[in-house]
Amino acid sequence: MADILLRGGRLVDPAGEADATCDVLISGGRIEAVGTGLDPGRAEVIDVDGAIVAPGFVDTHVHLREPGREDEETIASGSAAAVLGGYTAICAMPNTDPVCDNAAVAEKVAATGSFLGLTQVIPAGSLTQGLQGKHLAAIGEMATCNARVRLFTDDGHGVQDARLLRRAMEYLKGFGAICAEHCDDESLSEGGHMHEGEYSSRLGLRGQPAEAEELALARDIVLARLTGARFHALHVSTARSVAIIRQAKADGLPVTAEATPHHLTLTDACLVDYDTNFKVNPPLRSPHDVEVLRAGLADGTIDNIATDHAPHAAQEKEAEFEAAPPGLIGLETALGVIMGELVEGGLLTLGDMVRRMSTTPARILGLEGQGGPVVPGAWANLVVFDPGARWTVDPGKFASRCRNCPWAGKELVGRVLLTVFQGRVVGRDGQVSTAAPLGAFA
Amino acid sequence: MIKHLLSIDQLSPSQIELVLKTADSFREVGTRTIKKVPILRGRTVCNLFFESSTRTRISFELAAKRLSADVINFTGDARSSLAKGESFKDTAQTLQAMGVDAIVVRHSSAGAPHRLSRWVEASVINAGDGAHEHPTQALLDLYSIREHFPSFDGLRVGIVGDILHSRVARSDVAALTKMGSQVTLVAPPTLIPPAIDSWGAEISYDLEEVLPKLDVVYLLRVQKERQNEQLVPSLREYATFWGLDRRRVDLMKPEAIIMHPGPMNRGVEIAADVADLERSIIIDQVTNGVAVRMSLLYLMLGAADRALEEVPVG
Ligand SMILES: [Zn+2]
């Protein structure tokens, strides 16, 4: 493998407490040296002057659709999208067909990801068999198989039965795993196509009240207290959810939470034209919710940013609003949205952003070699981006197989220049490397 | 005039006035022996109905035919579309390929006309979409009110019933407040949509308290499903508190009128004998519907750059 010298970038590495201009020398898949004026020797020199070098982004929440809906996304196309977004690790939700509720599916997903060698693909397992919310899935088998599943969730739905969720939490605790929930009390939200509020009333669409998320989240935290399980709240979207998590953390409970770029930047007002690319679950909320969610992200109540990348086929989105499935894609736009809206907007420093998109999610998922520190001996999983580059989103250029992107045609700030996975340049200037030696990193 | 009519929000007060004034001429056409003018000869209007509504479809059909347009009716099945993901877009593009000039669309899914307008070149007219809007109903309601009151300004209108699911309420509130009327929504709290401060309407749960102040009492249909959804304990209880019966009519101002978009549930929101009172203008609403829809089709399709005076009527 060719050695690489990234010359003259600004290294932003919260885990290593680094923020300085320096060179990074990569050799044999790992960081060889970090410092100024490094001798490249025989390494390929890549001039990254003016760019940011950071540990690669880590996404705790993506939907890769394989197995089952390979027309919408595959592990290969989703991995390629991750590369272009600067992600060196992505956690694949289990709502595939068949469901990832057993070791065989988990190992297949992980092995396919390894074979591709574009990004680290970590399967999440389901909490219940077939996501049916009735019987526990094979949590122990998945946690101990080659895929080492750590995060378990019925994402897409919350587990409605409190007793079953309690048992799931207790059981997975024995394997050091995390219970992650899509917090939603379906008896309140059922049939809702958007956030319940001023806009749902105006548009004549049935809404999902914020309380459906908050009730489920509050219940889950109560159960986390009862069981002592590690709990992670997926795609938190409401103001009071932030308050509930803040209180749980103040109480010393082992709770973490993620928020998505769309919930941090878009509101229910985006739905005025019934554009189905803005239909998502949990739904886009009110401006007040967005404001409080941002404050929660800034003060650390919200631990990490996750995309909830959810590809849907064009023919399914090009339907009546109520008939269209919820979900939007976000791997290739996350940096641009967060840089433009939250970093340029003054809410987060660059270091804060890297912490929430890389360091913290890597710790949540327990990933060795991800999220920094960028120090000699560590795996070279890095992203290099131009923090000031302005670009217009053209979904036609996405590596994802789908186009259901709410930022289509919008100008974003901050563009990925280079993605380095296990010491290899896998993405460069919007192109995924075709020279990837398949299977080299199994 | 506007290209599509998806929502009352798109119309300015002066555009609404223009629609109503133009409808006056067309109302006269409806009283002739030969009720036809050649304004839209050679144009094609398609009634695309994914939800059965014979009344609205016939009203649009008559309006288009009296303007000499060719009319085609296409009945889709919203359930099959919603359930099987069968393409609404394909239907739209098929109609487009056949060269229709206007598509009048009725759909059970809110926003369907918005979706349609992105896929076709033809003008799209919303003939009712889910619980969103029914703009032509609001225009014919304004027209009907205007026949009884000199001005909309300061007029007090009460809209009573299932506001939550009513596209008529949404369009009427928008149109009436735009024209300067004061609207009060009267219903049990379960049938009032959440967070509607921005509608500019007052809210009351007490019909009897509101009735004496109103110039127009507009009753909405209350469907049996609302009982099954636990929004009201029973239709009987609804009628007890919010139904308009003779006793409550006596609380109304002498000159106040009663309206209903139809079809009525006699005995629920309106007592049978109340529907037939002199002050009930429910039948006039139907008549005016044709004239107002003619006016709209004319303004949207036929008269884009012609002055109003040139209308070959009268
Ligand atoms: Zn989810």
Side-chain angles (χ1 to χ4, degrees), chain A residues 61 63 155-157 182 234-235 281-282 308:
Chain A
H61 194 149
H63 296 269
D155 181 54
H157 297 278
H182 173 140
L234 300 169
H235 45 48
N281 195 13
D308 192 6

Side-chain angles (χ1 to χ4, degrees), chain A residues 196-206 272-277 315 317-323, chain B residues 81-82 88-89 107-112 114-115 118-119 129 131-132 170 193-196 198-199 229:
Chain A
E196 179 180 299
E198 181 191 341
Y199 282 93
S200 67
S201 290
R202 244 168 71 177
L203 295 173
L205 290 166
R206 191 184 288 198
V272 287
D273 293 325
Y274 298 91
D275 185 338
T276 54
N277 286 336
Q315 73 272 14
K317 277 291 194 182
E318 284 174 349
E320 296 88 333
F321 191 86
E322 290 172 1
Chain B
S81 174
L82 290 170
F88 180 39
K89 188 179 179 182
H107 203 296
S108 58
S109 184
H114 284 77
R115 306 287 294 149
R118 289 183 155 213
W119 300 324
D129 61 328
H132 176 229
R170 281 168 182 78
I196 59 165
S198 66
W199 289 23
E229 292 165 31

